[in-house]
């Protein structure tokens, strides 16, 4: 029997919130937005749980092709866009914010340096889109031997079919746990061991 680590606050798990600080003004956003709003409610609960347990919260956000963008500008643009997701998930002052130029949160960012500095060994991946940026980030995390929990109710894609397809790949090829967070995902803090 494994020891009870449900009160572990060592910070070895980090919550990643992928591309949720967003104006949702791109092609396909109309289909994605209702699902992203539902996922945002779950992510807000997971964020609260992470903070309570002392785990770092890391926003991993696309620069949307705006190469002069930085944290405050991206957040302001999302808030000015009036989308409720940005208000619900607005980063706190102490949260980390990583800007990515491509699909994966690891590609050409400081995330590969930040996570070891924080002592992180397990990641909770949330956000959009399940079948693009979440999937690519999960693949890079798996190659770096991070444990993964991708709560199926905390990610969204343009269609449920695409989301299920991507979650299946992450579960079967990357040993990710894809159980939904449900009631704040208490049983998955810290992340269950995979493999």
């Amino acid at each position: 029997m494994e020891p009870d680590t449900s009160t572990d606050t060592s910070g070895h798990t980090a919550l990643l919130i992928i591309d949720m600080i967003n104006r949702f003004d791109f092609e396909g956003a109309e289909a994605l937005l209702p699902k992203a709003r539902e996922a945002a409610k779950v992510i807000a609960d997971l964020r609260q749980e992470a903070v309570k347990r002392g785990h770092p919260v890391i926003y991993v956000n696309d620069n949307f092709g705006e190469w002069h963008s930085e944290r405050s500008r991206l957040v302001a643009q999302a808030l000015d866009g009036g989308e409720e997701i940005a208000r619900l998930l607005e980063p706190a002052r102490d949260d980390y914010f990583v800007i990515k130029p491509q699909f994966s949160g690891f590609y050409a960012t400081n995330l590969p340096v930040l996570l070891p500095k924080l002592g992180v060994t397990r990641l909770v991946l949330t956000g959009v889109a399940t079948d693009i940026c979440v999937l690519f980030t999960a693949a890079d995390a798996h190659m770096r031997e991070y444990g993964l929990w991708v709560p199926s109710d905390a990610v969204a894609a343009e269609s449920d079919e695409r989301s299920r397809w991507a979650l299946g790949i992450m579960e079967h090829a990357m040993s990710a746990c894809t159980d939904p967070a449900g009631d704040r995902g208490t049983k998955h803090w810290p992340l269950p061991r995979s493999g």
Side-chain angles (χ1 to χ4, degrees), residues 121-145:
T121 58
R122 299 178 299 265
L123 299 173
V124 182
L125 301 185
T126 66
V128 295
T130 318
D131 57 328
I132 305 172
C133 297
V134 176
L135 178 62
F136 279 70
T137 301
D140 278 351
H142 177 66
M143 285 191 295
R144 290 165 173 81
E145 299 185 340

Side-chain angles (χ1 to χ4, degrees), residues 2-16 46 49-50 53 55 120-126 141-142 145-152 174-181 184-195:
E2 290 193 38
D4 178 15
T5 55
S6 59
T7 58
D8 175 32
T9 57
S10 62
H12 292 298
T13 298
L15 173 65
L16 268 60
L46 286 168
E49 190 70 20
R53 292 172 179 269
H55 297 308
V120 169
T121 58
R122 299 178 299 265
L123 299 173
V124 182
L125 301 185
T126 66
H142 177 66
E145 299 185 340
Y146 286 98
L148 293 172
W149 178 28
V150 186
S152 59
M174 302 171 198
S175 301
C177 172
T178 60
D179 291 349
R184 299 174 65 156
T186 303
K187 73 176 185 172
H188 291 300
W189 294 96
L191 189 70
R193 298 192 185 280
S194 59

Side-chain angles (χ1 to χ4, degrees), residues 25-47:
D25 57 357
F26 49 84
E27 186 177 337
E30 189 174 308
L32 176 62
L33 198 47
K35 299 169 192 322
R37 287 179 181 140
E38 288 303 309
K41 296 172 190 172
V42 178
I43 295 168
D45 284 344
L46 286 168
R47 187 187 178 288

